Amino acid sequence: MIELPFALSEYRARLQAIRAEMARRNLDLLVVNDVANQHYITGYDGWSFYTPQVVLVPLVDEEPVWIGRAMDAAGGLLTAWMKPENIVGFPEDHVQRADRHPMDWIAAWISRKGWGGGNIGIELEAYYYSPKAHARLTAGLPNATFHDADLLVNWIRSVKSPAEVDYLRKASRLAEAAVRAAYDAIAPGVRECDAIARIQAAQVAGAPDFAGDITALPPTILAGENASAPHVMWSDRRFGENETVALELAGVVRRYTAGLARTLQLGRMPAKVSDTSRAVLEGMEAVLASIRPGVTAEAVEASWRRVIERHGLKKESRIGYSIGVAYPPDWGEHTISLRPGDTTVLKPGNVLHSILGMWMDGWGIEVSETILVTETGCETLTSFPRDIHVKA
Amino acid sequence: MIELPFALSEYRARLQAIRAEMARRNLDLLVVNDVANQHYITGYDGWSFYTPQVVLVPLVDEEPVWIGRAMDAAGGLLTAWMKPENIVGFPEDHVQRADRHPMDWIAAWISRKGWGGGNIGIELEAYYYSPKAHARLTAGLPNATFHDADLLVNWIRSVKSPAEVDYLRKASRLAEAAVRAAYDAIAPGVRECDAIARIQAAQVAGAPDFAGDITALPPTILAGENASAPHVMWSDRRFGENETVALELAGVVRRYTAGLARTLQLGRMPAKVSDTSRAVLEGMEAVLASIRPGVTAEAVEASWRRVIERHGLKKESRIGYSIGVAYPPDWGEHTISLRPGDTTVLKPGNVLHSILGMWMDGWGIEVSETILVTETGCETLTSFPRDIHVKA
């Protein structure tokens, strides 16, 4: 058994919160397809979600059940807290075949267990849960009524416990180490791929007393002609003499992710970069001054918008989101977004990654912080000089 | 514009093959949800698939269209070969909201384009395409008839061109470098995470004349108590004195993936490990002797099975699959599987990752090769001593 990241009491509290919401919605069973939610509930951890994988949470007081590929049940026994009988493998002869589907088998298992009727809540927009899987599951459970339960667990995840915040603090240390590694590695003539190798090494090797995990998004380096395109990947391109390099990095410990974006200027800082950076840094101050319990997500965004409008700038996309447990392809929790129209009222224990990215024509700046909402205001978990780092 | 991995003529040939199959199935439009297929058709490359993203291929002779998040259209202009008007961004205010969905917008776009009627083929089991996305798309296109087109493009991908094989040869060099890095780094007392950092650095930094890309599955190291669980991730566990360490690694160049698994023995090799390895290595010889055009996938597996049965061993799962372009979470192409019941007849240009993994109780061995089917037989693209590497 690999050591669980949390005490069993913490998993029980999570289940209790999930069941309270299930009861409120009159759900008898929750089918959890989101890999991060599966981990949050069970501790299960493995790179096995390329075949169908579900966690079942009954409203009744029984253990959740993990079902995945037979080969990966061994990993379930090592990583999840439930009894062995609640780690279930579908047969290997159901993997990626045209004539049968793992969800046929899983539906039959649910029926045999006596959970195939009543109201079933299910996550309909989880990564790795396909329309075909859903069609086969619902066809196999004709006596159930299905209800969209997207984000039910995610909203519970949006308030972090002290133990979760501890992991996010550790993750922040690794995010800082990743930015330091980038500042060290990036120089004119160096290839992007060589810089990424050093950044990832810092992320993964971790600290002397804990490991780093894979980041849900790979390191992003935006420079040169790619600078205006926020999610283009690295190549063997070499950094130029006077490039502005935007870095969107993270640190991850036991799947808990802290994001940290910074900008590096090689050579001399052009006036437009320094002008924009002043606006962005002032905007971050406004964001941090506005975050406290009772404030809405959109009010935080408005505080940023007021600053950059004064500087004559505009940004269409949101400036932050809830962050926590994360598996590829995304480290956002898909709940709170710092943008107009999001009237979520912030609570102590929320953790937000506020990322102020200005992607201009041919260059860009990014600055972010991972921010804990405290009882009285907020605290930046990431701690790293915020100014654009000039490397002459 | 980032340099395309292939000549435009190669993209035209791909489109021609896809359209021939569309015509055979009487499809007017193909909605491509699989990220690897999107890249194969358009060259588009970015870590943007955490929001909905499609490629549309009309049967009529017009360019395909990429549609994704507005922010990522800039990346489309840099990486895809189509005209700018065929790189389309859905508005930022559709990202991850309860009251609207990108697929509503995409359905409306398809209708405006005049592609909203007739027979639409769609990939229903692509990663990152959700039941909710599909429900919104079909609701938005009431005049279309939808047909499952899973694997239509994947089967075309299963025969590689010489230019694709060139990338797979380069990728094989990086896979070999990754195994060498693992052999160097792993020793008793070393933490798994520190070994992974060195392995990933070798994968990503690449060669002097080309970069490495992210691998679709992260490096897998199975040792100690994890050895029986094929997809458990690394931690800060330290390697023990006499552990058998199974490594499942890859190299990736311009998204083309070569897999390479090897096994490292720290200290003395136990008799059971050396007995099993003899069977596995003999099994690999049998696999390689059997692969040639005209042979079925299941016949290749049978040749392996005969060998290990003679050694008193058994393996439930398949022993290989088609490999090529890959994005997380999987590098298999989901077409050819080396297992009983797969009657696919092998053709020149097929590339198979044959992985012989024996996960026993508390220890495991893995050996693999990435294998090109040639006109007369096969060639292992990966080239690395196959024996268990003993590090005393």
Side-chain angles (χ1 to χ4, degrees):
Chain A
M1 179 85 200
I2 292 170
E3 197 190 357
L4 280 167
F6 298 98
L8 276 176
S9 57
E10 182 128 355
Y11 291 101
R12 277 195 291 267
R14 294 173 182 184
L15 270 180
Q16 195 170 21
I18 291 166
R19 285 186 168 129
E21 182 59 23
M22 287 172 65
R24 208 184 62 76
R25 301 190 190 187
N26 198 25
L27 299 176
D28 303 295
L29 180 70
L30 183 66
V31 179
V32 178
N33 298 314
D34 180 288
V35 178
N37 290 343
Q38 293 174 354
H39 176 65
Y40 180 76
I41 294 168
T42 69
Y44 177 81
D45 196 19
W47 195 276
S48 51
F49 40 86
Y50 62 88
T51 66
Q53 179 174 300
V54 300
V55 163
L56 307 173
V57 179
L59 182 65
V60 296
D61 185 24
E62 291 183 39
E63 286 190 351
V65 175
W66 176 95
I67 308 183
R69 185 176 176 181
M71 176 190 283
D72 295 310
L77 295 173
L78 284 170
T79 61
W81 56 263
M82 297 88 76
K83 297 190 202 91
E85 61 262 38
N86 293 321
I87 307 292
V88 177
F90 66 77
E92 285 296 326
D93 67 6
H94 279 60
V95 174
Q96 294 169 0
R97 289 182 83 127
D99 63 340
R100 65 196 80 168
H101 197 283
M103 281 295 165
D104 302 338
W105 193 94
I106 290 171
W109 191 95
I110 291 172
S111 286
R112 279 200 306 278
K113 179 80 176 176
W115 292 349
N119 290 313
I120 299 184
I122 186 158
E123 295 173 337
L124 291 175
E125 193 144 62
Y127 301 119
Y128 315 120
Y129 186 58
S130 72
K132 187 170 287 176
H134 187 57
R136 302 295 277 255
L137 181 72
T138 51
L141 295 172
N143 299 320
T145 309
F146 285 88
H147 303 269
D148 180 9
D150 263 338
L151 306 184
L152 186 159
V153 177
N154 304 53
W155 277 108
I156 291 165
R157 279 169 48 199
S158 73
V159 178
K160 271 71 179 173
S161 72
E164 290 181 286
V165 172
D166 282 349
Y167 283 119
L168 287 164
R169 287 185 198 282
K170 289 179 173 173
S172 297
R173 297 298 82 75
L174 300 192
E176 295 152 11
V179 175
R180 261 192 305 276
Y183 284 1
D184 281 352
I186 295 171
V190 169
R191 299 186 309 169
E192 288 177 3
C193 55
D194 291 311
I196 292 282
R198 288 181 57 188
I199 293 166
Q200 280 195 325
Q203 289 171 320
V204 164
D209 51 338
F210 54 87
D213 288 330
I214 193 168
T215 55
L217 285 96
T220 310
I221 289 182
L222 299 175
E225 65 172 352
N226 303 357
S228 54
H231 299 112
V232 164
M233 304 280 287
W234 66 83
S235 72
D236 58 357
R237 198 188 69 86
R238 290 177 193 276
F239 293 100
E241 292 292 335
N242 291 292
E243 284 183 3
T244 309
V245 184
L247 303 159
E248 188 172 341
L249 305 176
V252 187
V253 175
R254 301 306 297 265
R255 308 290 156 214
Y256 280 81
T257 302
L260 183 61
R262 286 292 183 267
T263 302
L264 168 65
Q265 176 66 53
L266 297 176
R268 282 166 59 112
M269 178 128 68
K272 62 185 180 183
V273 174
S274 102
D275 289 350
T276 306
S277 82
R278 253 195 308 279
V280 167
L281 294 176
E282 192 186 328
M284 181 59 86
E285 292 296 339
V287 165
L288 293 171
S290 71
I291 294 180
R292 60 182 177 277
V295 161
T296 62
E298 64 177 1
V300 174
E301 198 271 351
S303 71
W304 145 263
R305 188 175 291 258
R306 272 192 299 276
V307 170
I308 61 160
E309 279 178 358
R310 189 153 31 76
H311 287 265
L313 294 170
K314 235 174 80 166
K315 176 171 160 62
E316 293 289 335
S317 50
R318 61 182 178 181
I319 62 152
Y321 43 79
S322 188
I323 195 167
V325 179
Y327 285 79
D330 195 8
W331 60 46
E333 290 187 325
H334 299 194
T335 49
I336 307 164
S337 283
L338 302 179
R339 66 180 161 194
D342 191 325
T343 57
T344 310
V345 176
L346 300 184
K347 286 185 218 177
N350 289 154
V351 176
L352 303 166
H353 182 220
S354 176
I355 174 157
L356 308 177
M358 298 300 301
W359 297 290
M360 317 302 271
D361 189 23
W363 59 281
I365 286 178
E366 291 186 57
V367 171
S368 84
E369 299 291 353
T370 295
I371 304 161
L372 171 68
V373 182
T374 62
E375 293 295 330
T376 55
C378 70
E379 177 194 345
T380 55
L381 298 178
T382 38
S383 172
F384 198 87
R386 207 174 286 151
D387 288 335
I388 293 194
H389 180 69
V390 180
K391 193 166 167 179
Chain B
M1 179 86 199
I2 291 169
E3 198 191 357
L4 280 167
F6 299 98
L8 276 176
S9 57
E10 181 127 357
Y11 292 101
R12 277 195 289 267
R14 293 172 183 185
L15 270 180
Q16 195 170 22
I18 291 165
R19 286 189 168 126
E21 182 59 22
M22 287 172 66
R24 207 185 61 76
R25 300 190 192 188
N26 198 26
L27 299 176
D28 304 295
L29 180 70
L30 184 65
V31 180
V32 178
N33 299 313
D34 180 290
V35 178
N37 290 344
Q38 293 174 354
H39 176 66
Y40 180 77
I41 294 168
T42 69
Y44 176 81
D45 195 18
W47 194 276
S48 51
F49 40 86
Y50 62 90
T51 65
Q53 180 174 298
V54 300
V55 164
L56 307 174
V57 179
L59 181 65
V60 295
D61 185 23
E62 290 183 39
E63 287 191 349
V65 175
W66 176 95
I67 309 183
R69 186 177 175 181
M71 177 191 282
D72 295 310
L77 295 174
L78 284 170
T79 61
W81 56 263
M82 296 90 74
K83 297 191 202 90
E85 62 262 37
N86 293 322
I87 306 293
V88 176
F90 65 77
E92 285 296 326
D93 67 6
H94 280 60
V95 174
Q96 295 170 359
R97 290 183 83 127
D99 62 340
R100 65 196 80 168
H101 197 284
M103 282 295 166
D104 303 338
W105 193 95
I106 291 172
W109 191 94
I110 291 172
S111 286
R112 277 200 307 279
K113 180 79 175 176
W115 292 348
N119 289 313
I120 299 184
I122 186 159
E123 295 173 337
L124 292 175
E125 193 145 62
Y127 301 119
Y128 315 120
Y129 186 58
S130 73
K132 186 169 288 175
H134 187 58
R136 302 294 278 256
L137 182 72
T138 50
L141 294 171
N143 299 321
T145 309
F146 284 88
H147 302 269
D148 180 9
D150 263 338
L151 306 183
L152 186 159
V153 177
N154 304 53
W155 277 108
I156 292 166
R157 279 169 48 200
S158 73
V159 178
K160 271 72 179 171
S161 72
E164 290 181 288
V165 172
D166 282 349
Y167 283 119
L168 287 164
R169 287 186 197 281
K170 290 179 172 173
S172 296
R173 298 298 82 76
L174 301 192
E176 295 153 11
V179 175
R180 264 194 303 275
Y183 284 1
D184 281 353
I186 295 172
V190 170
R191 300 186 308 168
E192 288 177 2
C193 55
D194 291 311
I196 292 282
R198 288 181 54 188
I199 293 165
Q200 280 195 325
Q203 290 171 318
V204 165
D209 51 337
F210 54 86
D213 288 331
I214 194 169
T215 57
L217 284 95
T220 310
I221 289 182
L222 300 175
E225 65 173 351
N226 303 356
S228 53
H231 299 110
V232 163
M233 303 281 286
W234 66 83
S235 71
D236 58 356
R237 198 188 71 85
R238 289 176 193 277
F239 292 100
E241 291 292 335
N242 290 293
E243 283 183 4
T244 309
V245 183
L247 304 159
E248 188 172 341
L249 305 176
V252 187
V253 175
R254 302 303 300 265
R255 307 290 157 216
Y256 281 80
T257 303
L260 184 61
R262 286 293 182 267
T263 303
L264 168 65
Q265 177 65 53
L266 297 177
R268 281 166 58 112
M269 179 129 67
K272 63 185 179 183
V273 174
S274 99
D275 290 351
T276 305
S277 80
R278 253 195 307 278
V280 168
L281 293 177
E282 193 186 327
M284 181 58 85
E285 292 295 342
V287 164
L288 293 172
S290 70
I291 294 180
R292 61 183 176 276
V295 163
T296 63
E298 65 177 1
V300 174
E301 198 272 350
S303 71
W304 145 263
R305 187 175 291 258
R306 273 192 299 276
V307 170
I308 61 162
E309 278 177 358
R310 189 154 32 76
H311 286 267
L313 294 170
K314 235 173 80 164
K315 177 171 160 60
E316 294 287 336
S317 49
R318 63 182 176 178
I319 61 152
Y321 44 79
S322 188
I323 195 168
V325 180
Y327 285 78
D330 194 10
W331 61 45
E333 288 187 325
H334 298 194
T335 49
I336 307 165
S337 283
L338 302 178
R339 64 181 163 196
D342 190 325
T343 56
T344 309
V345 176
L346 299 185
K347 285 185 219 176
N350 288 155
V351 177
L352 303 166
H353 183 220
S354 176
I355 175 157
L356 307 176
M358 299 298 303
W359 297 289
M360 318 301 271
D361 189 22
W363 58 281
I365 286 178
E366 291 186 59
V367 171
S368 83
E369 299 291 354
T370 295
I371 304 160
L372 171 67
V373 182
T374 61
E375 293 293 332
T376 54
C378 70
E379 177 194 342
T380 55
L381 298 179
T382 39
S383 173
F384 198 87
R386 208 174 286 151
D387 288 335
I388 293 195
H389 180 69
V390 180
K391 192 166 166 178

